[in-house]
Amino acid sequence: LRGYNRLFTSMAKRKPFQGRAILNAYGPSVFHPMWGTYFAGALVGNCVMASFMVGLIVFIMTLVVSLEQFWQALWSAREWGIFYGLLYLTRTFFFRAIVPWYVVTYDGSILQRRVWALLFPTLTLLNFVVGATSGLLRSVVLTPFLLVRFFRVDITFLPEGLEDWDWSFQPFLSLVMHAHARTNPIMWAAVLSLNEGRSE
């Protein structure tokens, strides 16, 4: 419902919204009978696929956690984990407690030029080591959000102009467009005004 309200409100207020390229390309004909009758099946298909994916992920995680090799590998990597944690804490403390006060301020003003000239390559190397693992950490953090957003029908990951290739988003958009065209408050006000004029 939040996605429906968001798209409907954006259409009513003439604000940019995802899928406007489809409306610009097809116009009112975007509400085609094929798409209008397709949405219910697409919604059920997304629910079934989401249930399957969640079940598969839970099964794989349970299987991995139950393996003795997983805990052995995790224990063997404890030294790397401790090193990474200490490195991250040192980096955070250094950048928040020392550098802003004595070397470079938050707005980029350099207080100690010679010290900064010495620290720059060292900090670059330090951040390179820490940043090399950002891909793994980013995947762990973003994967749950990506899965949740992937199975939503009110948004699409496709770029503007290619939204019609998302066969769950386009039927949803066509239904919102149809509801907007039939229940647009401006149109209703105009119809009521015309009816009042005829009755008089």
Side-chain angles (χ1 to χ4, degrees):
L1 291 177
R2 286 185 299 176
Y4 177 89
N5 292 332
R6 175 173 49 81
L7 280 176
F8 190 93
T9 304
S10 298
M11 290 180 183
K13 294 183 177 180
R14 297 293 182 180
K15 292 183 178 180
F17 59 91
Q18 195 174 25
R20 60 184 180 275
I22 298 179
L23 299 182
N24 294 334
Y26 297 103
S29 63
V30 69
F31 184 75
H32 193 275
M34 179 180 67
W35 296 118
T37 56
Y38 186 80
F39 176 71
L43 185 61
V44 172
N46 275 274
C47 293
V48 172
M49 191 63 185
S51 302
F52 173 76
M53 289 293 296
V54 170
L56 181 63
I57 292 173
V58 171
F59 172 75
I60 293 175
M61 291 178 63
T62 305
L63 179 63
V64 170
V65 171
S66 63
L67 293 176
E68 183 179 354
Q69 292 83 353
F70 170 76
W71 297 105
Q72 290 177 353
L74 193 64
W75 180 253
S76 62
R78 67 185 184 280
E79 293 181 357
W80 180 88
I82 295 173
F83 168 75
Y84 181 81
L86 292 175
L87 186 64
Y88 184 81
L89 291 176
T90 303
R91 170 185 174 272
T92 303
F93 173 77
F94 198 76
F95 275 104
R96 292 187 178 181
I98 298 178
V99 173
W101 291 98
Y102 303 103
V103 185
V104 180
T105 61
Y106 285 113
D107 61 357
S109 301
I110 300 176
L111 303 177
Q112 300 290 336
R113 297 182 181 274
R114 294 182 179 180
V115 176
W116 179 240
L118 294 174
L119 287 178
F120 184 81
T122 305
L123 295 177
T124 301
L125 181 62
L126 176 64
N127 280 323
F128 179 81
V129 175
V130 176
T133 58
S134 63
L136 177 61
L137 297 177
R138 185 170 184 260
S139 301
V140 172
V141 173
L142 292 183
T143 297
F145 297 97
L146 290 175
L147 287 176
V148 171
R149 292 176 65 87
F150 178 75
F151 292 110
R152 289 178 57 180
V153 297
D154 61 314
I155 57 177
T156 179
F157 289 115
L158 296 177
E160 185 176 358
L162 297 177
E163 297 98 333
D164 52 345
W165 284 93
D166 190 339
W167 294 345
S168 294
F169 176 73
Q170 182 171 351
F172 176 78
L173 180 66
S174 67
L175 289 180
V176 177
M177 178 61 186
H178 180 71
H180 174 263
R182 294 294 183 271
T183 61
N184 191 328
I186 299 177
M187 185 192 71
W188 275 104
V191 171
L192 291 176
S193 298
L194 291 175
N195 288 335
E196 291 177 357
R198 289 181 179 180
S199 61
E200 291 177 359

